[in-house]
Structures are given as structure tokens and as C-alpha cells.
Amino acid sequence: MTRFALTLEFDGGPFMGLQRQDHGPSVQQAVEAAAKAVTGETVTLHSAGRTDSGVHALAMRCHLDIAKVIEPFRLMEALNALLRPDPIAVLACKVVPDDWHARFSCIGRAYEYRIANRRAPLTLERGHAWHIARELDAEAMHRAAQALVGRHDFTTFRSAHCQAKDPVKTLDRLDVRRVADHVVIEAEARSFLHRQVRSMVGTLALVGQGQWTEAQVADALAAKDRTALGLNAPPEGLYFVRAVYPED
Amino acid sequence: MTRFALTLEFDGGPFMGLQRQDHGPSVQQAVEAAAKAVTGETVTLHSAGRTDSGVHALAMRCHLDIAKVIEPFRLMEALNALLRPDPIAVLACKVVPDDWHARFSCIGRAYEYRIANRRAPLTLERGHAWHIARELDAEAMHRAAQALVGRHDFTTFRSAHCQAKDPVKTLDRLDVRRVADHVVIEAEARSFLHRQVRSMVGTLALVGQGQWTEAQVADALAAKDRTALGLNAPPEGLYFVRAVYPED
């Protein structure tokens, strides 16, 4: 068996998420089906993160094991040909050691969240950003975000369905900046709880609109209570942008 | 009657073009229908440019005349509400003098053409860029483009259906630059012939792939013959980005 590491880009819009689901199409199912068509083998795709329905990826790192002898470039080309018309692309493919694991070897993950902050509805960006018509104070959002950076119990900012045993995580970075009529939020951590980024962004958006004070974000964190959450941001603005491994 | 100037953004994908067509949906028909729903009046939308099927706009300038008394901001909000779910947004709306004409007062037009130059198929950018897998030499494309700048007979680079009386136009700027894995072409002129930008881009793409020499672009221009054209670039990479008026 040879282990291949893949870097995937996908538009999450048509999928129920990255992970295989019983009730609809997933990125995993599409890639595994393409790999089966190339190799004749039943393979399992492992990924650095598990993105929700509608969440996008610019560079999701994954791996799969294949018995068939095939060059990485040829595997990539064959998968890309078979994945059409699904909006999933293999950007890179290489052979990795058998003990390299897309999920367990990963030591850092980064997400970007894009808010289109303008009065007019979205056209070209539809499905690819969260549209907020009311003007956001990105500087206030950034200041409030700093209360979430560090090692904390993120119970307030996790989904009720989160399967992680421990709600304590270390958030390395949570930066908010304005880029013309967009507000971009970047989050980095070794790992995140389920819905953590969207929960944090939703709450910061309340600060940006003046509905919450900056101090209320710290209070919500301290409450360690999901019902203290301000708002869950929608999936279409979220992008998985980077997975970090020791060898990088 | 009050004349309102509108700035429109639209995703050209679902439309047969900006101009009203008998055989399918157009941006003009959608905006005129929304304006009729707001005012009860049959209005005509005039625009700075006439974009083809599939071509996008980031800021198309238009105007329409309305008898009903309505604030520009209210008109904009009402049009945006009625245009859903069409991917057309009114970004700005203001009252202009009766002699201001979106098309005839316009003294400059700018287009941008986006090429996604990478091996992998497109996902998030699908329908919003021309995908070219083979590596392009953007510097060679830029050098070749300079032969087209200036006052020329652009017969080679106009559609057979072009209705302009005179094929002589002055191209003020045609810049090609690489931005990461994209090649972006910017074109500026007082006005363009039908299909001129896509014809120029398609031919430059042949230069970028080494299929045409830089000198062949100048030869094609000198031929003043449509059959000397290299290639017509597809519509999905083209964006109308700016219309210039004397008061700007």
C-alpha cells in the first residue's frame, strides 16, 4: 500500500460537508468514488478537518492508501477528471510515509471567514460570503476577539453535537480586519471544536453592529454555557485555508 | 420625469447578456421588470456598455426615467428587493440631469479579464474565470499586447455581428500581469467593438502558451481580417469594471 497526501479545494455549497453522510452528497464520498474508479479499490479518505455543510476549503489536506502502483501526478489528473462536475479539485498529490496521517499528524489549522459588508445584496459572491448590510466596526470586533485568544474552555462556542471530550482549546490567533467592503476574520489553533469558528464570528458580528459590547464576548466565554452564545455565523462565509504538519 | 443613474453589479452566468433579448433572460429585462413593479411605469434601461451572454459587471452605469416621485435610496432598496433571486444588485442610485446619458455621455470604459492559470480544474471560481491549465508567460502576453494599444482598425478583433460603423478605435491601455496563479488583463478605451476584448485576450493567450509569437499579434491586427484572429476567449472571465463620465 502506498499513502498519498492530497490537497483539496472545494466549494462546499452542494455538499452536506466533507465527511461522508447518510443523507446527502459529501466531499469524502465523491473523492472515494473517484479513487475507486481509478484504482478499483475501496479507499477511505482521511482529512485534517471535518467541515460542515456549505463550508469551503482552499487547501484541505487529506490522505488515502492505495495498493495499485500509480504516479502521484497521474493519480491527481485521474481524480480531477473523474470529480467533474463536482466542484472539488485536487491541487497537489504526493507520496507520504505510512505513518503520516492527515488528521493525527496535523499540528495546526487555519480558517478564514469572509463577511461582505455592504447595503446591496450579493451577486458574484453569493454562497461565498456572509452578507451583512449594517456597517460593521471591524476594529471593535478585533479588540473583542482578543478575549478569546489563548487557552480557554470554549463550551459557549461549541455545537451541542460536538464530539470532542475536552472543551478546553488553545486559540492562537483571531484577527479581524476590514478590506474595502469586506470584513475578514482569520483564526488559527492546533484544533477547533465543532462550530467554534462560526460561533465566534457570529458573536463578533454582534459586537461589530453595536448590539453587544466588547466586554460581553469575554462574559460569554466565562459563562461556559452554549445558551450564552450570541449568534452562529452561516457556513457560506467559512473557508478552511491551511493545515500545518511538523515537516512544513 | 426624473432621470436616475444606477450602478449595477451582476453575475452574467444566467443571462443572455445585458441587453434585452427575445430568446432568453437579460439584465435589462430583469431591471425593467423590477422598475415597473416599483413605479407601475414601463421604463427603458440604458447602459454604458452592452455585455454579452455570460459576461459579468462590477460597476455597470445605467439610467432610467421615472415619473413617480421617489427618493433614490428608496428606489435602490426596492429594486434590490425585487431583483432577488436574480444575481443583479444596484450598488448606487442617484438623480442626474435630464441630458446625462449612461451610454452617450460615457467617455471611457474599462474591462478586466481573469484567467485562472493552474493545472487543477476550478471549483469556487467556476464561471468566474477562464481556466487555462498550460502555464502562461504573462510577460510575453503583455509585450505582445502593446502592439494593440493606440488608434487602429480593429477589424480582426471584432465580431462578425458588430454593428459599429467604423472599425477604427483607440485602445488606451492593455495591460497583462500575473497575480499568483492568475493572469489578469486590463483594457481601457473610450469604446470597444463587439467582442473586441475577448478577441484580444484569446489571441494573447496563444502568445502566452507559446503557440503564437509576439509579432503575430501585430500581423493579425495589420491583416484587418477576422479570419486572422487567433482565438476568442470565453465570456466567463470578462468583467465590465468601470465607466467614466466627464464629471468624474
Side-chain angles (χ1 to χ4, degrees):
Chain A
M1 297 288 261
T2 304
R3 181 157 291 187
F4 292 90
L6 306 178
T7 303
L8 298 184
E9 177 190 271
F10 58 82
D11 181 336
F15 303 106
M16 298 307 296
L18 197 159
Q19 208 177 359
R20 186 180 278 278
Q21 304 284 343
D22 291 335
H23 57 296
S26 64
V27 174
Q28 183 182 357
Q29 169 257 311
V31 176
E32 289 174 355
K36 174 141 197 180
V38 178
T39 63
E41 301 167 42
T42 299
V43 301
T44 301
L45 187 78
H46 297 271
S47 58
R50 300 177 178 191
T51 59
D52 275 337
S53 177
V55 174
H56 316 296
L58 299 185
M60 176 59 76
R61 302 287 291 274
C62 306
H63 82 259
L64 39 75
D65 294 328
I66 291 174
K68 180 185 171 89
V69 175
I70 185 168
E71 287 295 314
F73 181 77
R74 277 214 44 231
L75 176 61
M76 177 172 74
E77 294 281 285
L79 291 175
N80 279 333
L82 287 157
L83 282 166
R84 293 172 198 268
D86 280 327
I88 304 171
V90 183
L91 302 183
C93 177
K94 64 178 180 181
V95 173
V96 287
D98 289 351
D99 63 351
W100 188 93
H101 195 288
R103 181 174 172 200
F104 299 120
S105 303
C106 180
I107 55 170
R109 291 161 174 92
Y111 284 92
E112 184 175 298
Y113 197 98
R114 299 180 189 169
I115 300 174
N117 188 210
R118 67 181 206 180
R119 190 75 205 162
L122 303 186
T123 69
L124 291 152
E125 265 192 295
R126 195 177 288 180
H128 294 161
W130 182 18
H131 177 224
I132 297 182
R134 200 161 155 187
E135 192 172 347
L136 294 171
D137 181 342
E139 291 180 20
M141 292 169 70
H142 180 74
R143 285 192 303 269
Q146 302 321 302
L148 302 176
V149 174
R151 183 174 160 83
H152 302 290
D153 179 331
F154 282 99
T155 296
T156 304
F157 299 93
R158 76 193 291 199
S159 153
H161 305 291
C162 180
Q163 290 165 14
K165 283 180 193 153
D166 189 356
V168 175
K169 292 282 176 191
T170 300
L171 181 63
D172 296 320
R173 196 162 81 86
L174 188 61
D175 286 340
V176 184
R177 66 183 204 280
R178 175 169 286 282
V179 183
D181 63 356
H182 287 75
V183 173
V184 179
I185 296 114
E186 292 172 298
E188 283 181 25
R190 185 178 180 98
S191 62
F192 290 91
L193 297 166
H194 186 215
R195 294 276 165 89
Q196 187 181 343
V197 179
R198 287 166 57 193
S199 299
M200 295 190 302
V201 168
T203 298
L204 293 176
L206 293 179
V207 174
Q209 294 174 80
Q211 296 175 255
W212 271 36
T213 65
E214 296 172 33
Q216 274 178 278
V217 176
D219 293 346
L221 177 69
K224 297 172 194 166
D225 176 1
R226 182 71 181 165
T227 62
L229 179 71
L231 182 69
N232 212 0
E236 64 263 27
L238 187 59
Y239 295 74
F240 183 96
V241 294
R242 193 166 56 254
V244 182
Y245 296 87
E247 72 273 17
D248 293 339
Chain B
M1 296 288 261
T2 304
R3 182 157 291 187
F4 292 90
L6 306 178
T7 304
L8 298 185
E9 177 190 272
F10 58 83
D11 180 337
F15 303 106
M16 298 306 296
L18 197 159
Q19 207 177 359
R20 187 179 276 277
Q21 304 286 341
D22 291 335
H23 56 296
S26 64
V27 174
Q28 183 182 356
Q29 170 257 312
V31 175
E32 289 175 355
K36 173 142 199 179
V38 177
T39 63
E41 301 167 41
T42 299
V43 301
T44 301
L45 187 79
H46 297 270
S47 58
R50 301 177 178 192
T51 59
D52 274 338
S53 178
V55 173
H56 316 294
L58 299 185
M60 176 61 76
R61 302 285 291 275
C62 306
H63 82 258
L64 38 74
D65 295 328
I66 291 175
K68 180 186 169 90
V69 175
I70 185 168
E71 287 295 314
F73 182 78
R74 277 215 45 231
L75 176 61
M76 176 172 75
E77 294 280 285
L79 291 175
N80 279 333
L82 287 157
L83 283 165
R84 294 173 198 267
D86 281 328
I88 305 171
V90 183
L91 302 183
C93 178
K94 63 178 181 181
V95 173
V96 287
D98 288 350
D99 63 351
W100 188 93
H101 195 289
R103 181 174 172 200
F104 299 121
S105 304
C106 181
I107 54 170
R109 291 160 174 93
Y111 284 92
E112 184 176 297
Y113 196 98
R114 299 180 189 169
I115 300 174
N117 188 210
R118 67 181 207 182
R119 190 75 205 162
L122 303 187
T123 68
L124 290 152
E125 266 191 295
R126 194 178 288 179
H128 294 161
W130 183 17
H131 178 222
I132 297 183
R134 200 163 156 187
E135 192 172 347
L136 296 170
D137 181 343
E139 290 179 20
M141 291 169 71
H142 180 75
R143 285 192 303 268
Q146 302 322 301
L148 302 176
V149 174
R151 183 175 160 84
H152 302 289
D153 179 329
F154 282 98
T155 296
T156 304
F157 298 93
R158 76 191 292 199
S159 154
H161 304 291
C162 181
Q163 291 165 14
K165 284 180 193 156
D166 188 356
V168 176
K169 292 282 176 190
T170 300
L171 180 63
D172 297 318
R173 195 162 81 87
L174 188 61
D175 287 339
V176 184
R177 66 183 206 280
R178 175 169 287 282
V179 182
D181 63 356
H182 287 75
V183 173
V184 179
I185 297 112
E186 292 171 299
E188 283 181 25
R190 184 180 180 97
S191 62
F192 291 91
L193 297 167
H194 187 215
R195 293 275 167 90
Q196 187 180 344
V197 179
R198 288 166 56 192
S199 298
M200 297 191 298
V201 168
T203 298
L204 293 176
L206 293 178
V207 174
Q209 294 173 80
Q211 295 175 255
W212 271 37
T213 65
E214 296 172 32
Q216 275 179 277
V217 176
D219 293 346
L221 177 69
K224 297 173 195 166
D225 175 1
R226 181 72 181 164
T227 63
L229 179 71
L231 181 69
N232 213 359
E236 64 264 26
L238 187 58
Y239 295 75
F240 183 96
V241 295
R242 194 167 54 255
V244 182
Y245 295 88
E247 71 273 17
D248 293 339

